[in-house]
């Protein structure tokens, strides 16, 4: 297959782009069949439905003329869900026994137990998101090379909850510091084969814009945050590298607001059946604005020998946060 020639940006810098070739009609048919099978199986087919959507989307997106591949299986998602469900049932049963056995008059004990349950829930939520991301990456291939994620879900969860408590204490003022620290942990532990991604961003660089948005939240009814998110996305792209590749993305807050409002209207007016349209709009919005400049040394990219997860997204399914891919929505 012939590799497309790089295009040129306004400053004459050659760049490449990701492309989404999926067709709305095809995806709607898959979604409708999935919906019918979910109803017929009391939603047990959910895991295979999700896999089918991913297979279609991945196989219809390309970079440098080569399509991506999704190798996950519905059975893996089901097994992961069942494992997580059993663990959660055990934890809930233990919590119920503790609360039932506690004397009603011992208020400090009940407060401590409640705090412990709340903390455990937040730790599990953070670990679930990190593990789900690792599973999704491990089942994504390009030119037969598998993406992957190193690092520790437990380590990520401790960082997330610890910084989350500090953010709560500071009334949200630590949020950009927390966001970019955790984002750095995720990106710096992401791999394409043996080649690592690298992130050098720092939330302090965006703090003036964050503080302005924070102060203008009420006067703008929160709309100012669409412009902050646009600036944040451009910053994240500019600080991310994959070998010799660097990234650039550009869209305005108004364009992001239009995308979100359009997706909301599509979902509401179609009673949820237009979900595939919203997903395609997300992919095309991002890919049309994302530029990749520089080159990858393909001879140095080797297949990773690290063990991949055998089942996936169990806790993430329970917490309703499974399958978010590049901020494009749950797929």
């Amino acid at each position: 297959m012939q590799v497309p020639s790089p295009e040129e940006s306004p400053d004459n810098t050659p760049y490449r782009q990701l492309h989404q070739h999926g067709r709305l009609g095809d995806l709607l048919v898959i979604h409708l069949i999935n919906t019918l099978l979910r109803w017929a199986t009391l939603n047990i087919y959910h895991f295979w439905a999700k896999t089918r959507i991913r297979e279609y989307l991945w196989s219809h997106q390309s970079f440098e003329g080569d399509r991506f591949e999704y190798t996950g299986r519905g059975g893996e998602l089901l097994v992961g869900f069942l494992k997580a469900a059993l663990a959660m049932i055990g934890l809930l049963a233990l919590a119920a026994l503790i609360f039932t056995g506690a004397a009603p008059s011992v208020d400090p004990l009940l407060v401590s137990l409640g705090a412990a349950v709340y903390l455990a829930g937040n730790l599990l939520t953070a670990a679930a998101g990190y593990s789900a991301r690792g599973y999704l990456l491990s089942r994504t291939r390009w030119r037969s090379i598998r993406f992957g994620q190193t690092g520790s879900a437990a380590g990520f969860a401790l960082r997330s909850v610890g910084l989350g408590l500090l953010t709560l204490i500071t009334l949200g003022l630590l949020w950009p510091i927390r966001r970019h620290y955790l984002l750095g942990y995720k990106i710096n532990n992401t791999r394409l084969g043996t080649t690592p991604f690298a992130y050098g961003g720092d939330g302090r660089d965006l703090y003036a814009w964050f503080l302005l948005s924070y102060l203008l939240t009420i006067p703008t009814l929160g709309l100012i945050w669409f412009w902050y998110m646009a600036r944040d996305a451009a910053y994240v792209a500019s600080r991310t590298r994959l070998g010799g590749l660097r990234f650039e993305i550009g869209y305005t807050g108004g364009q992001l607001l239009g995308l979100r409002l359009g997706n909301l209207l599509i979902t509401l007016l179609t009673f949820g059946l237009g979900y595939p349209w919203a997903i395609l709009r997300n992919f095309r919005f991002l890919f049309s604005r994302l530029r990749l400049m520089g080159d990858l040394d393909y001879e140095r990219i080797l297949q990773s020998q690290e063990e991949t997860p055998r089942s996936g997204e169990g806790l993430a399914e329970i917490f309703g946060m499974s399958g978010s891919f590049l901020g494009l929505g749950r797929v």
Side-chain angles (χ1 to χ4, degrees):
M1 180 179 294
Q2 184 177 3
V3 175
S5 300
E7 301 178 60
E8 288 190 352
S9 62
D11 61 358
N12 297 322
T13 301
Y15 67 88
R16 295 176 174 85
Q17 288 185 288
L18 290 158
H19 297 280
Q20 173 55 243
H21 310 279
R23 297 190 299 180
L24 178 58
D26 295 340
L27 203 54
L28 277 174
V29 169
I30 295 172
H31 181 59
L32 288 173
I33 293 173
N34 284 345
T35 301
L36 291 173
L37 289 174
R38 280 171 167 163
W39 290 344
T41 63
L42 302 179
N43 209 39
I44 294 175
Y45 189 74
H46 162 77
F47 306 99
W48 286 267
K50 176 179 289 188
T51 298
R52 184 68 189 91
I53 290 287
R54 290 177 179 176
E55 287 174 345
Y56 181 85
L57 289 171
W58 268 234
S59 66
H60 285 80
Q61 62 194 31
S62 66
F63 177 62
E64 295 205 307
D66 289 301
R67 302 286 180 108
F68 286 77
E69 179 185 4
Y70 179 73
T71 62
R73 298 179 180 178
E76 293 173 338
L77 297 180
L78 175 60
V79 169
F81 174 79
L82 292 175
K83 289 179 179 179
L86 289 173
M88 287 298 298
I89 290 171
L91 287 174
L92 291 174
L94 178 61
L97 287 173
I98 292 174
F99 278 101
T100 301
S105 59
V106 189
D107 291 339
L109 176 60
L110 291 177
V111 170
S112 299
L113 290 172
V117 171
Y118 176 79
L119 182 62
N122 279 276
L123 286 169
L124 286 173
T125 301
Y130 194 80
S131 297
R133 183 178 184 272
Y135 173 82
L136 195 61
L137 286 167
S138 74
R139 299 307 192 268
T140 300
R141 295 174 182 258
W142 179 69
R143 292 186 174 177
S144 298
I145 300 296
R146 183 177 65 245
F147 285 81
Q149 177 177 269
T150 56
S152 163
F156 178 82
L158 289 171
R159 290 170 171 83
S160 177
V161 172
L163 289 172
L165 291 174
L166 290 176
T167 302
L168 185 64
I169 292 171
T170 60
L171 302 179
L173 291 175
L174 196 67
W175 183 82
I177 308 300
R178 175 180 183 269
R179 164 172 161 70
H180 288 272
Y181 179 82
L182 296 177
L183 189 62
Y185 188 89
K186 288 190 287 188
I187 295 178
N188 289 324
N189 279 297
T190 301
R191 304 285 187 270
L192 171 57
T194 55
T195 300
F197 283 76
Y199 182 67
D202 188 323
R204 290 173 294 183
D205 295 338
L206 290 168
Y207 202 80
W209 291 102
F210 168 79
L211 190 58
L212 177 64
S213 302
Y214 186 90
L215 295 173
L216 293 178
T217 297
I218 294 177
T220 64
L221 302 178
L223 295 179
I224 187 67
W225 289 103
F226 286 97
W227 278 261
Y228 178 81
M229 287 187 286
R231 185 175 294 274
D232 183 83
Y235 176 81
V236 170
S238 69
R239 296 300 191 276
T240 302
R241 299 286 186 274
L242 173 60
L245 275 183
R246 63 186 190 278
F247 302 83
E248 179 182 287
I249 193 168
Y251 51 82
T252 67
Q255 290 171 331
L256 181 60
L257 176 59
L259 174 72
R260 298 286 177 83
L261 286 176
N263 286 346
L264 178 61
L265 285 174
I266 288 169
T267 303
L268 292 176
L269 294 176
T270 64
F271 301 99
L273 293 179
Y275 163 77
W277 188 6
I279 290 296
L280 276 180
R281 291 180 82 241
N282 286 344
F283 272 98
R284 289 169 180 168
F285 180 88
L286 177 63
F287 289 177
S288 66
R289 291 165 174 82
L290 178 63
R291 297 174 177 177
L292 293 83
M293 295 162 287
D295 294 293
L296 277 173
D297 187 350
Y298 295 111
E299 294 183 357
R300 299 185 64 179
I301 300 177
L302 305 175
Q303 185 67 278
S304 173
Q305 300 303 311
E306 294 182 5
E307 187 176 352
T308 60
R310 295 184 179 180
S311 58
E313 304 182 15
L315 281 172
E317 285 282 353
I318 290 175
F319 288 111
M321 54 190 297
S322 175
S324 179
F325 182 68
L326 296 175
L328 295 170
R330 287 159 60 187
V331 292

